[in-house]
Amino acid sequence: MVRGRDTDACPGALQVHQAADGALVRVRLPGGAITAAQLTALAGVSNGLGSGTLELTARGNLQLRAITDVTAAAETIAAAGLLPSATHERVRNIVASPLSGRVGGHADVRPWVQELDAAIRAEPTLVELGGRFWCSLDDGRADVSGLGADVGVHVFEDGCGLLLAGRDTGVRLAGEDVVPALIAVAMRFTEIRGNAWRVNELDDPAALWPGAQLGEGFPAVTRPAVGWIDQDAPKQQGRITLGAAVPLGVLPARVAEYLAAIEAPLVITPWRSVLVCDLDEAVADVALRVLAPLGLVFDENSPWLNVSACTGSPGCARSAADVRADAAGSLETESDVRRHFVGCERACGSPASGQVLLATGDGYRPLR
């Protein structure tokens, strides 16, 4: 597969995308982790310089739209500790099991997230990866492995499995070899990629690792964990995580400020939800009562969990419709099928499974 352009157009905090509604800033959050102070800073940027909303992406990152002063926004983002490398900011794409180290799983992958992020930033060659290339770290619960990252690790009972394009290679790694292996694959990709931006665009992805044989992939997870989640990891008993889905991934800055006011660790998930972690029961109970009326979704049976959309018009000039409004309107029709509404054939943000509906100008037709 030949890439559509020779330069990397993925936005970051420094190289932004000029959308129809203004400058779009994307802030990478390795593993989705963000502190309360950092979320407050981003909410302030959005309120003061942008649209007044934050967008959650399918890679667990955050976007700010309609930014009027890109330099001022970048300075605030950097001051909050969210821009540790000006050169590598767009290649820090790491998705990890969001509940790792708190609930279930075979291992706590959070230390690997930090180690991998540091290793990516330390290697000058990896600037060439581009903003589309990303890594996954699955603690064994098979949540992020099914998202099809370019390179990843899945913790099996018999060791850490190396994944390429979301598929098991049969290669098993010791824990201390996980990060070096991911870096080695990423560097090899920069050497052989030719016109490819993603591993699945290579003629032979297995060439990235000696002896790799691509096997089966993993089922796609399309719904976030929501509601009251009891933490069961060692020394975590009695602590609570609140899982809150964000309808269509659009988080009002005012609601973000309420989330930050809890002063707890936060995780942005690839399913456009927020985890508020490490709460005692009393704080969790109060937080739930405050946050639910603000529009966050804590009900696992909510129809919002079955619908998503790209930006659509008026924010995207390519879009043939206001797909977010149409997606919201579709909730009146009961459906058990996961539906993603898109405004053009690029189908941005499409989930790995379910139905993708393409706007035609006078309705929608199935794209997938």
Side-chain angles (χ1 to χ4, degrees):
M1 184 182 297
V2 179
R3 66 183 186 234
R5 63 177 74 222
D6 291 327
T7 57
D8 179 22
C10 284
L14 299 177
Q15 175 180 302
V16 304
H17 169 64
Q18 292 298 330
D21 57 351
L24 169 67
V25 169
R26 183 176 298 161
V27 181
R28 264 68 177 187
L29 305 175
I34 186 170
T35 68
Q38 289 170 335
L39 184 60
T40 298
L42 293 184
V45 171
S46 184
N47 272 329
L49 302 172
S51 65
T53 60
L54 291 77
E55 293 183 344
L56 283 64
T57 79
R59 299 290 177 262
N61 297 317
L62 288 172
Q63 293 183 163
L64 310 176
R65 301 193 71 90
I67 297 299
T68 56
D69 189 333
V70 173
T71 300
E75 289 174 349
T76 301
I77 292 168
L82 292 167
L83 188 58
S85 170
T87 54
H88 289 66
E89 60 133 345
R90 291 180 298 151
V91 299
R92 301 170 61 234
N93 297 307
I94 305 169
V95 174
S97 297
L99 286 167
S100 191
R102 294 185 169 99
V103 180
H106 295 317
D108 183 354
V109 301
R110 291 175 297 176
W112 289 339
V113 172
Q114 298 175 6
E115 185 183 348
L116 179 58
D117 183 30
I120 288 172
R121 289 185 278 116
E123 177 50 61
T125 304
L126 296 186
V127 173
E128 303 300 323
L129 282 177
R132 302 180 194 177
F133 188 100
W134 61 288
C135 307
S136 66
L137 295 165
D138 193 307
D139 66 4
R141 73 186 69 229
D143 53 358
V144 299
S145 287
L147 299 177
D150 293 282
V151 60
V153 163
H154 186 101
V155 182
F156 294 99
E157 292 185 357
D158 64 343
C160 303
L162 179 69
L163 310 185
L164 294 174
R167 298 165 65 184
D168 187 13
T169 62
V171 175
R172 296 294 179 262
L173 305 165
E176 61 269 22
D177 296 327
V178 163
V179 170
L182 294 177
I183 293 296
V185 170
M187 292 185 66
R188 176 62 176 159
F189 178 76
T190 65
E191 296 173 359
I192 69 171
R193 74 176 197 178
N195 288 330
W197 284 115
R198 301 289 309 279
V199 165
N200 62 5
E201 297 170 4
L202 296 175
D203 291 334
D204 181 17
L208 292 168
W209 188 270
Q213 295 182 348
L214 298 189
E216 295 296 320
F218 293 79
V221 173
T222 59
R223 294 165 61 94
V226 298
W228 185 282
I229 304 169
D230 293 303
Q231 298 181 191
D232 60 9
K235 300 183 180 180
Q236 296 282 318
Q237 287 84 356
R239 291 288 178 174
I240 305 299
T241 287
L242 293 179
V246 178
L248 301 179
V250 181
L251 179 67
R254 173 175 168 271
V255 178
E257 290 170 346
Y258 274 93
L259 284 165
I262 302 170
E263 296 188 343
L266 300 161
V267 181
I268 307 299
T269 82
W271 304 280
R272 297 180 173 90
S273 69
V274 182
L275 301 180
V276 188
C277 307
D278 303 342
L279 305 175
D280 63 42
E281 290 193 7
V283 172
D285 183 64
V286 172
L288 187 59
R289 294 173 186 271
V290 170
L291 295 173
L294 297 177
L296 297 177
V297 176
F298 296 92
D299 179 6
E300 64 180 9
N301 296 312
S302 171
W304 281 115
L305 301 185
N306 275 338
V307 65
S308 59
C310 71
T311 297
S313 60
C316 178
R318 293 176 177 266
S319 181
D322 184 348
V323 296
R324 284 178 173 165
D326 292 340
S330 76
L331 298 183
E332 299 174 3
T333 303
E334 292 188 11
S335 174
D336 293 330
V337 178
R338 178 75 160 77
R339 292 165 293 167
H340 182 71
F341 290 73
V342 297
C344 75
E345 292 194 0
R346 295 177 68 184
C348 294
S350 296
S353 66
Q355 191 175 42
V356 177
L357 299 173
L358 172 67
T360 63
D362 58 357
Y364 288 84
R365 67 172 176 84
L367 183 62
R368 186 184 66 202

